[in-house]
Amino acid sequence: MTFSIKNIISYIHAKPFGSFDDFIIENISIDSRSLQNNTGTLFFALKGQNHDGHHYIEQLIHKGVRYFVVESLPENCIGKAQFLIVENTTIALQETAKYYRNLFDFPVIGITGSNGKTIVKEWLNYLLSPDYSIVRSPKSYNSQVGVPLSVFGTNENHNLGIFEAGISLKGEMLHLESIIKPSIGVFTHIGTAHEDGFTNPEEKIIEKTQLFINCEVVILQKNDSIEKHIQATCFTWSFTDEKATVFGTIGEQKNGITNLLVTYNSHTFLIEIPFQDSIALNNVMTCVTTLLYLKVDTAIIANRVRNLYPVEIRLQAKKGINNCVLIDDSYSSDYQSLKIALDFLEQQKLHPKKTIILSDIFQGGLPIEKLYEKVALAIQNNKIDRIIAIGETISKYLSELPNVISFSSTNDFLKQFNTQSFQNETILIKGARSFNFDEIVVLLEEKKHETVLEINLDAITNNLNFYKSKLLPNTKVMVMVKAFGYGNGGFEIAKLLEHNTVDYLGVAFADEGIELRKAGIMLPIMVLNPENSSFNAMIAYDLEPEIYSITGLQAFLRLAQQKNINSYPIHIKLDTGMHRLGFEETEIDTLILLLKNNNFVKVKSVFSHLAASDNTDFNDFTQKQFDRFKRCSEKLISELAIKPIRHILNTSGIFNYANEMQLEMVRLGIGLYGVGNSKTENENLQNVSTLKSVISQIRVVNEGESIGYSRKFMVNEEIKVATIPIGYADGIRRAWGNEKGYVMINNQKATILGNICMDMLMVNVSSINCLSGDEVIIFGQKPTVNEIATTTHTIAYEILTGISQRVKRVFYKN
Ligand SMILES: *Cc1c(COP(=O)(O)O)cnc(C)c1O
């Protein structure tokens, strides 16, 4: 992508500030963290709920960026860079994309629908790539910001575009239409589920079909109630309605393969599809119908479809061997997705050392030398410590770079593979499908059993926003990441929070804080339970203690004096009714005496903790706690003449008492992790953690037999039983067994039979169509952690923090 900035100034209605002679834009960026920001970058300072790109301008100028699109002029940067001032930077980004899109004129496929957009896009790309030079949306870049960024991937050598469009509100699709300008529409599945932002399903359909207003044709599953809203010709498929343009008949299904007979234009042909589930079959039909419309020969279609593969939509960071972290992107290798993966690598790196394992790059559109020049530049900008290049072409073109080790093939690499050569580093594995990098992933992945706790980082951001929406804009937020982020993973979440600008982190013990510091977290950290023996380490790692007793304060003061430390930040905890830790009202005078005219420490905050913020039956008690807190803290403040941050609210406190008690800061815990203490609260939260496993074995058990230890479940008619490799040692409570609890398999409930074992449990799958190896949801959307907690007579906190550390954590972003 290159175009001159002069062309867009008036197009986006910008007021220029600075000189803009002949700047050629080589890269559009909205992410300050990307190491690909450089002198050729035009940076759009977007404003989000938690995020303001304007804050990073100075830092970006240091990195060499000189051109910015902003909503307001950053005073301290005037003269150091050139600015385009616009009313709304997101709209300016969209307008710039529109301008850029208009430079090109070739067929573009626009995909929308409730599900399946990304899979259909990836499959169409795979199926059509032998015939076209394709530009497509990377990953699931389909939003108001993702679509413009996708379009910037276009260059003069492409001759087909495939872009997806996703919306959540009325009125959004027309924006996306004008950026994508599709000539061929593809409508994937339309869900019946209610989607926020739409009052009824019809409204949702009408909005989505706005993508097709300028299309010559729309490809979709035959459906009159959708077709009536589409002006263009409908090119339809169906498994049931023979009036559809393309008709499919499902034949034999076994060993993961489905035989499908496709009839089109009174000609019938057979396709072997490497999937059995109905969702995949629908998506395949959508793709086949698109190929038929594009006049691809039926024999070629059958041939290519046979090689379709499951699409990994998201980039994931996984635990690797020898304390490595893996980013597995082993199914694609084009320049656009390489850049995204490099950004993800930079955001996720737990270790300063970065390695990339990269195959030949397949990308139409660019001469090969130019392509590898760009690849080399991207890699150098990202300061990769070690590059393992696999493939004849990449080995040749990257051989000049320092730190390159090259291999002619994946096999070659595997023969020389040595586990010891990967230690304490973050490794990006990125290769074209034909290179079978999944074999490398298998070797590098830490071998634990198949159970994982998946953590949705986007849901965490959403939940943070929900609680922030209850607060005044200037109220600070401390997020509690104690107990390994409530079981979800401390470092990864802290890293995300750092980016989402929270003000403080809270941990229970000094060790937890030290781990965060070692992983590079710079936010201020308060330690709730500092033991006197850890004070030394706390000072070394810049951790701020909660001080809750006279003896604790004296010990800390002694140490500060010895070390000759000035104004070390401490947090004073008052006991107002919880009766756990804290100074009582009667101790305030002594406390004042110790702190008065004392330069060794500085009271950064004064706080207390509510005992019953989740239960409004205790309103009066809570109010009493608050009044006592006000009284004591005011005394401290006036007698010491200090201005500390005051805070008392935890999650349910924010939900129930934000108006009257938010003070200068709140302490958010469980709610961030998607679990609220009431029904209305939960309706506003998104599920964060999903505990998943797989079926190890399935068997039929006859009447008269029993299941598991102590013969707790007696079989009184023949049943089908599945064994799942997760048990109480992983944190699944035994009280959830014996038909009290269930797991979800293929969207159906499977009741837990008999006693839960240490490492396994058995479920009833008599009426569920399933195979060994199928995914099992232990908790997540359903059952929720709250449901398990209620049934097993405990609270969600105990369930979440009880998930054993032997369960692998996987973090993802959409
Ligand atoms: C754990 C904790 C919190 C957070 O509580 P949640 O109910 O999870 O929001 C807040 N303050 C203190 C002192 C805590 O120990």
Side-chain angles (χ1 to χ4, degrees), residues 283-344:
N283 289 333
V284 168
M285 273 305 266
T286 303
C287 292
V288 167
T289 307
T290 311
L291 265 65
L292 286 169
Y293 175 76
L294 292 171
K295 302 198 165 38
V296 180
D297 183 79
T298 54
I300 292 179
I301 294 178
N303 222 336
R304 292 183 189 162
V305 166
R306 192 177 309 134
N307 294 319
L308 279 182
Y309 51 93
V311 172
E312 192 61 75
I313 296 174
R314 334 174 281 226
L315 279 175
Q316 295 188 332
K318 305 178 186 173
K319 271 228 159 78
I321 56 169
N322 306 331
N323 198 28
C324 289
V325 174
L326 306 185
I327 297 167
D328 176 5
D329 197 8
S330 55
Y331 285 112
S332 68
S333 81
D334 49 290
Y335 175 65
Q336 187 88 342
S337 71
L338 172 65
K339 284 182 31 161
I340 291 172
L342 286 170
D343 281 348
F344 192 79

Side-chain angles (χ1 to χ4, degrees), residues 480 482 486 528 580 609 650-651 667-670 797:
M480 308 310 290
K482 60 196 185 194
Y486 286 50
L528 293 170
R580 185 169 71 177
H609 194 44
N650 64 341
T651 298
R667 299 185 306 274
L668 179 61
I670 192 101
Y797 299 73

Side-chain angles (χ1 to χ4, degrees), residues 5 91 117 149 153 177 182 301 304 357 370 414 458 481 505 552 573 579 581 586 601 627 656 665 685 696 717:
I5 199 161
I91 292 176
K117 294 184 285 292
L149 294 178
E177 195 280 335
I301 294 178
R304 292 183 189 162
I357 306 180
K370 180 95 187 127
L414 293 175
D458 290 326
V481 292
L505 296 177
K573 172 77 153 291
H579 302 321
L581 292 179
T586 52
V601 294
D627 294 341
N656 291 324
M665 183 156 82
L685 301 179
S696 307
E717 60 178 335

